[in-house]
Amino acid sequence: MRIYLVGYMGVGKTTVGKKLARMLDLPFYDLDAVITESVERTIPEIFEAEGESGFRGVERSYLHKITDTHPSMVLSTGGGTPCFYDNMQFMNEQGITIYLQMDVASLSHRLINSKANRPLIANITAEGLQAYVKRHLDERKDYYEDAHITFPALGMGPAKYDRLVQEVRALRADGLNG
């Protein structure tokens, strides 16, 4: 079973992914970490050298590579991964997609202290961050909402993780390829 986690930056895809993988006894991968390790450059370095379009090409290539080599996994994708090329359609065809959803205020609060590591928001002021997140999230929402499961990511605790596992297993039982 392949599970792809999608959602805006800062929503908790990696944290949720690691826990979900343990609960389902699947290997976990973070797409950004796979890229960084493989090309031996950080995401900000790739953005700086190749621009966003160059990065998105690298990202698509590694999304396909990891999918081709792992028939079972939980993969945390980058916030923009589903929004470029045919990535969302590809992930929907290859497994179960989960959109981790969160409100703009909560996302902005989470992102304020990690701006330096995120090339798209590194130069945005704290005051402008919430407006940027709202606009950017609105642009990406249609892609995210194409996921098989939309799940509220705020306040993830044991009961919510159990509910998420139940939703994944129900989709699997219904015959969704994954």
Side-chain angles (χ1 to χ4, degrees), residues 87-95 97 146-148 176-177:
N87 291 344
M88 192 65 192
Q89 178 184 343
F90 174 77
M91 291 184 287
N92 277 333
E93 291 169 355
Q94 298 298 315
T97 52
D146 278 344
H148 297 116
L176 184 67
N177 66 340

Side-chain angles (χ1 to χ4, degrees), residues 3 26 41 46 64 80 136 138 173:
I3 299 171
L26 295 171
R41 290 189 293 174
I46 299 169
H64 282 255
H136 211 215
D138 286 345

Side-chain angles (χ1 to χ4, degrees), residues 128-165:
L129 185 61
Q130 191 159 335
Y132 176 85
V133 170
K134 181 183 179 344
R135 183 174 43 79
H136 211 215
L137 186 58
D138 286 345
E139 291 169 4
R140 293 179 170 189
K141 193 165 84 166
D142 288 343
Y143 294 99
Y144 295 155
E145 290 178 350
D146 278 344
H148 297 116
I149 297 170
T150 296
F151 198 82
L154 196 59
M156 291 296 291
K160 283 185 88 170
Y161 277 105
D162 288 343
R163 196 173 99 225
L164 182 55
V165 167

Side-chain angles (χ1 to χ4, degrees), residues 102-115:
M102 192 174 286
D103 64 277
V104 171
S106 298
L107 286 167
S108 300
H109 179 74
R110 286 177 167 212
L111 290 169
I112 197 69
N113 294 320
S114 64
K115 286 181 9 166

Side-chain angles (χ1 to χ4, degrees), residues 54-75:
F55 170 74
R56 296 301 176 191
V58 170
E59 180 181 58
R60 181 180 188 273
S61 173
Y62 279 94
L63 173 63
H64 282 255
K65 284 179 187 178
I66 197 164
T67 297
D68 290 345
T69 56
H70 295 87
S72 295
M73 68 173 172
V74 174
L75 180 68

Side-chain angles (χ1 to χ4, degrees), residues 1-2 9 34 42 93 106 111 135 147 152 154 169:
M1 160 178 10
R2 288 188 196 100
M9 65 179 129
V34 168
T42 66
E93 291 169 355
S106 298
L111 290 169
R135 183 174 43 79
L154 196 59
R169 288 185 173 144

